[in-house]
Every structure is written in C-alpha cells, then in structure tokens.
Amino acid sequence: MKNIKLKYWTTTLIVLLVIVLSCERELSDDIEIATFPSNGDIYTDAPLGLTDEFFISFDPASGANTEGFGTDDNEAYEGTSSIRIDVPTPSDLNGGYIGGIFKDRGEGRDLTNYDALTFWVKGSTTATIGTVGFGTDFENGVYAVSLENVPLSTDWRKIIIPIPDPSKLVQEKGMFLFSAGTQSTNGVGFTFWMDEMRFEKLGTLGQPRPAILGGQDQVAQANVDTSVPIIGLSQTFNLANGQDVTVSATPSYFDFETSNPFVASVDESGIVTVDGPGVDGDNTAVITATLGGIEASGSLTIQASNIDVISIFSDVFANVPVDNYNGFYEPFQTTLGGAIDENGNNIIDYTLLNFVAIEFYGRDGSDIEPVDATNMTHLHIEFRVNENVDTTDYINMELHNNFTLPNGTLGSYQISGNDLISNGWAEFDIPLSSFAGLTDRDALGMMLFVTDTTISNLSIDNIYFYAEN
C-alpha cells in the first residue's frame, strides 16, 4: 500500500540521518553483518540442525493423532533411515488424522539462497497427502506456503514446493508442515515415508505467475467502514520437467496497492477497508498486487456504497446461516453439487441440474431462522452457465415465504437464455417486487432454481438481498 511504503521510507530516512550525523568513525571493512544460519538440510538419516523433538503435532483437540509419527530404519530413499507417518482411520481413538510441523527451535534460518523445499516420498498404497508446506511455526507464520493433494506412489518420488519469493525468508523457523487423512482411501489407514528433506537452489523454476482471488477480476459493493480479505493467493512455477506447480501463499509475500485511497485501502495482510465514498462521484477503487515485482493476475474492484444487506452466499458480506445449498429432494431431483472453493473463490456449483433449492428455514429441526427481507428492495445474484446457452434456456427462480406453513406464499421470476452468458458470469439486480405472487417476505426460507434440464451445469455466486439508503 502506497501510504505504508511512504511511512516506511520516511522512517528509514530519519534513522539513516541520525546514524550519519552521530557517527564519528567509518565502519571498518572487517565488520561482518550478522545473519542467521543458512543450512538448508532438514532430514537425511536424522534431523539436521533441529532438536530430537523437532515434530510438533497439531492440537489433539482438533482430532490430530500424535501416535503415528516416527522414523523407520527399514525404509530409506538414501542412507539408512526415513520419517514414517502412519495415517490413522477416522475412528481411531487417538485421533482421526495426523499432521504437524517441523520447527527450528533456534533463532531461525536464512533461506534466501534457496528456491524450493524438496523431499522424497513413497506410500504403502496410492493415496494422497492432503497438505505439505513450510513457513508455519505456531508463532507468526507470516510466510506460510502449502501444496495441496500430493499424490503418493509405492515408488519413491521427489516433491518440489517452490518458494514464492526467497528474499522474504531471512529468519524462518517453519521448516515443514504436513496434514494427512484417509479421504483418498475411503477411510482406510495407510503409511507413507519421507526422506532427504531440504531446501535447495534448483535454478530450474521458471515462469512465475502470482495470483490473487484465484486470478479472477472480481467486483464487489461494500459499505464504508467495512472490510473484506483478499483470498485465493497463489504462486505458480513451471518445473524443469514442464509441469506447472501452484502453491498457496500468505499475504506477506505480496505487495498490495489501491488505485483510489479515497475509497479503499489495503494493508500488508491483504485486508481491504472501505474508507470513504470517494470524491467527484468516483466511488470505485481497484485493488491489485505484485509478488517479487511481478504483477499478480486477478483484482478486486470495490464500489463504495450505502446499502443494507442480508447475504445468503458471498465472500464480501457476512452470510446468514443456511440449512444447505442443495436441499436434495428424492426421487425427482437429479442435481448434484453445492458450495465449493474454486481457486480461492467460494462459489456454488451444480451439475445434472433440473431443480435445486437453497434452504434456510430450519429444516429437520435445525435452529436456522428464516430471513426477514421486509425492508429489502432487491435480490443480487450472479450466474455462470458452464455450457453453451440457447435462447430457449431459462432459470425459473422462486422465493418461498413461511415455506412449511399452510399460509406460505411464493413468488417467481424467470431469467431467459438471452440474459445469460455461455461459460461466463452474468449479474442480476432483481427488484423483489418483480417476484410475482410474493405478497410477504418476513420469513423467507427457500430459494428455488428450476431449469428443467435446459441448463445442466450452473454456478452461482454473490446471493444477497439489499436496500439502498
């Protein structure tokens, strides 16, 4: 953020002036500036530069199993020993998953001369490790990096986790992180081994492609004094074998910037705050970022507004609780899917769609309360048809008030294929008065989408009721 950098450089200039004016002697050429140890090795046949208690498990209260970690003198990629991880079954009394970190318990390491964390791994079966990474130390973890869903083979394979920007890692304590469950084996426990773990200077990582918001250009309305985080942060490199690898990275690797500080600012944690309505009628700010001097794909356009919102599904506003995003109705409904994370952006994704409901009325005795939208004037909703759209296609929407009661009412509104985009997002701001038949909206409890299979693959995002003040 520009104002943060200005403050930093101003402070730095003052400090430099004080030093120059107060020094009577020049620094000797023999003086060496202190740095932290730069050893890149983590584990070969034993932990290197770490204590014997280098593994710290995730909290057992979260279900982490502390019994499955050890070393194995019968399996090794090189040498005589490896790290052995026994992944428990979900019903294991000691915990249903295993994970934790390897921590440098000293002052930390200078890793600026490396470009990747590497290790060799093999499994007892062809399973998947949920997460591996580094930079998490259970203290600050500001430079955490993770690689998801690492496939295992029964032969040894080398895993490469690129460092998004090595210049940041001047004092790193988080040497390694892993988390594994049995999602890929349908609940069957398995074992994997890791060996020759170290930070390396490969020199073969190319084509860096940082991204925010999953690389998407997003637009959001937000009230003054509200905040929204920048999510979906990643860095992609091309490996020597031509394969792309994408890691998730924390905001500290990025430098954020706003195009209009009269509307919105963004701090070093990627938190965007709407500071004002803008000047001269310009209520828009575009948030962008760079990583290592390279512009990241994706942006967030913030439009400062003054609206009351009841959000059903959005990354921008706080959402009200819902029962589900797919209230499956047998035997007639074919629709599959629900809420998913798409490259860091939460959306609702449906396939085999004929009809589907989002429910928020307290289904099956839940404590979910219906929505009182009496004072709301519009429904905002965004659709992406993940196929070609014909002019005869349609989405019939229904809003149900007092859904389970005899005096319940419903209103309907149709969106035609002419207003939708093939494989692209289309936004709609629909007056609630346009939902024919919706005489009351003090207890909205269900939102129904009916396509009768004219549209089979549909994504939905940013569903909220609002009223402009």
Side-chain angles (χ1 to χ4, degrees):
M1 187 174 66
K2 283 183 176 178
N3 58 349
I4 292 176
K5 289 181 178 177
L6 178 62
K7 181 178 180 181
Y8 170 80
W9 282 111
T10 303
T11 305
T12 303
L13 180 60
I14 294 172
V15 172
L16 287 173
L17 285 172
V18 170
I19 292 174
V20 170
L21 294 174
S22 61
C23 286
E24 296 180 354
R25 294 180 300 174
E26 294 183 354
L27 293 175
S28 168
D29 292 338
D30 296 330
I31 291 178
E32 294 184 1
I33 299 174
T35 60
F36 299 99
S38 58
N39 177 21
D41 289 330
I42 300 173
Y43 187 94
T44 55
D45 283 332
L48 298 173
L50 306 172
T51 68
D52 290 339
E53 298 179 349
F54 63 97
F55 173 66
I56 305 175
S57 171
F58 290 137
D59 190 348
S62 70
N65 190 313
T66 62
E67 304 298 321
F69 177 85
T71 58
D72 192 334
D73 293 336
N74 297 313
E75 286 282 357
Y77 174 73
E78 284 186 1
T80 59
S81 179
S82 66
I83 297 169
R84 172 174 173 149
I85 306 297
D86 293 320
V87 182
T89 62
S91 60
D92 192 307
L93 296 179
N94 292 319
Y97 80 101
I98 187 167
I101 65 171
F102 298 176
K103 183 175 181 177
D104 184 322
R105 295 179 184 268
E107 54 190 346
R109 300 189 190 183
D110 179 355
L111 302 175
T112 56
N113 289 323
Y114 305 105
D115 58 16
L117 170 65
T118 69
F119 62 97
W120 290 83
V121 63
K122 68 174 286 187
S124 60
T125 185
T126 53
T128 298
I129 307 175
T131 302
V132 295
F134 58 87
T136 299
D137 58 11
F138 293 164
E139 293 181 23
N140 298 313
V142 294
Y143 295 117
V145 171
S146 63
L147 177 66
E148 310 296 330
N149 300 320
V150 176
L152 290 173
S153 167
T154 53
D155 295 324
W156 287 99
R157 288 181 174 177
K158 188 174 185 178
I159 304 300
I160 297 173
I161 309 175
I163 302 175
D165 181 359
S167 69
K168 302 284 188 179
L169 304 185
V170 297
Q171 189 185 4
E172 184 56 57
K173 295 183 178 180
M175 297 292 100
F176 183 63
L177 173 146
F178 75 94
S179 178
T182 56
Q183 292 86 351
S184 63
T185 56
N186 293 320
V188 179
F190 61 95
T191 298
F192 66 90
W193 296 264
M194 299 182 289
D195 199 5
E196 301 301 309
M197 181 179 295
R198 58 174 58 89
F199 287 93
E200 286 191 75
K201 178 66 174 180
L202 299 175
T204 55
L205 304 179
Q207 304 173 27
R209 282 156 285 164
I212 63 173
L213 297 166
Q216 301 177 19
D217 296 318
Q218 297 190 9
V219 180
Q221 292 182 318
N223 289 331
V224 174
D225 294 331
T226 61
S227 297
V228 58
I230 297 293
I231 59 175
L233 307 169
S234 66
Q235 171 69 299
T236 299
F237 284 99
N238 188 257
L239 305 182
N241 62 6
Q243 178 186 0
D244 281 343
V245 60
T246 298
V247 296
S248 298
T250 49
S252 297
Y253 282 102
F254 292 78
D255 293 314
F256 298 97
E257 189 169 12
T258 177
S259 67
N260 190 346
F262 295 103
V263 173
S265 58
V266 54
D267 66 16
E268 62 272 22
S269 299
I271 302 297
V272 179
T273 300
V274 183
D275 297 314
V279 296
D280 299 329
D282 183 3
N283 70 333
T284 299
V286 181
I287 308 300
T288 56
T290 59
L291 193 162
I294 300 174
E295 184 176 356
S297 62
S299 65
L300 177 63
T301 299
I302 287 285
Q303 296 172 338
S305 59
N306 185 12
I307 59 176
D308 292 328
V309 170
I310 300 175
S311 179
I312 303 298
F313 185 89
S314 169
D315 284 335
V316 177
F317 302 109
N319 298 319
V320 298
V322 302
D323 288 307
N324 55 66
Y325 297 108
N326 185 351
F328 197 80
Y329 286 86
E330 296 180 302
F332 305 108
Q333 181 180 336
T334 60
T335 309
L336 301 178
I340 65 168
D341 181 331
E342 183 183 65
N343 300 321
N345 181 35
N346 295 306
I347 65 170
I348 301 171
D349 194 66
Y350 296 127
T351 58
L352 299 176
L353 175 62
N354 59 345
F355 71 91
V356 68
I358 298 174
E359 297 175 314
F360 38 96
Y361 63 86
R363 180 171 172 171
D364 299 328
S366 77
D367 294 327
I368 303 299
E369 294 288 338
V371 166
D372 183 354
T374 303
N375 295 323
M376 301 292 108
T377 58
H378 289 74
L379 170 67
H380 178 94
I381 192 166
E382 300 171 18
F383 293 108
R384 184 184 66 195
V385 180
N386 302 312
E387 59 192 39
N388 291 327
V389 181
D390 295 327
T391 57
T392 56
D393 292 346
Y394 57 83
I395 302 172
N396 283 333
M397 298 180 56
E398 293 182 1
L399 292 175
H400 289 252
N401 200 68
N402 284 323
F403 174 59
T404 59
L405 300 180
N407 62 345
T409 60
L410 69 90
S412 59
Y413 181 86
Q414 184 177 80
I415 295 175
S416 78
N418 292 320
D419 297 322
L420 296 167
I421 301 172
S422 299
N423 300 302
W425 287 101
E427 299 182 21
F428 299 88
D429 290 280
I430 308 168
L432 292 175
S433 58
S434 297
F435 282 82
L438 188 64
T439 54
D440 301 294
R441 49 178 187 267
D442 61 330
L444 296 178
M446 186 171 79
M447 188 177 297
L448 186 68
F449 306 92
V450 181
T451 67
D452 295 324
T453 71
T454 62
I455 295 170
S456 297
N457 299 290
L458 181 70
S459 299
I460 308 177
D461 199 2
N462 293 321
I463 309 170
Y464 53 86
F465 302 103
Y466 70 92
E468 295 181 343
N469 294 314

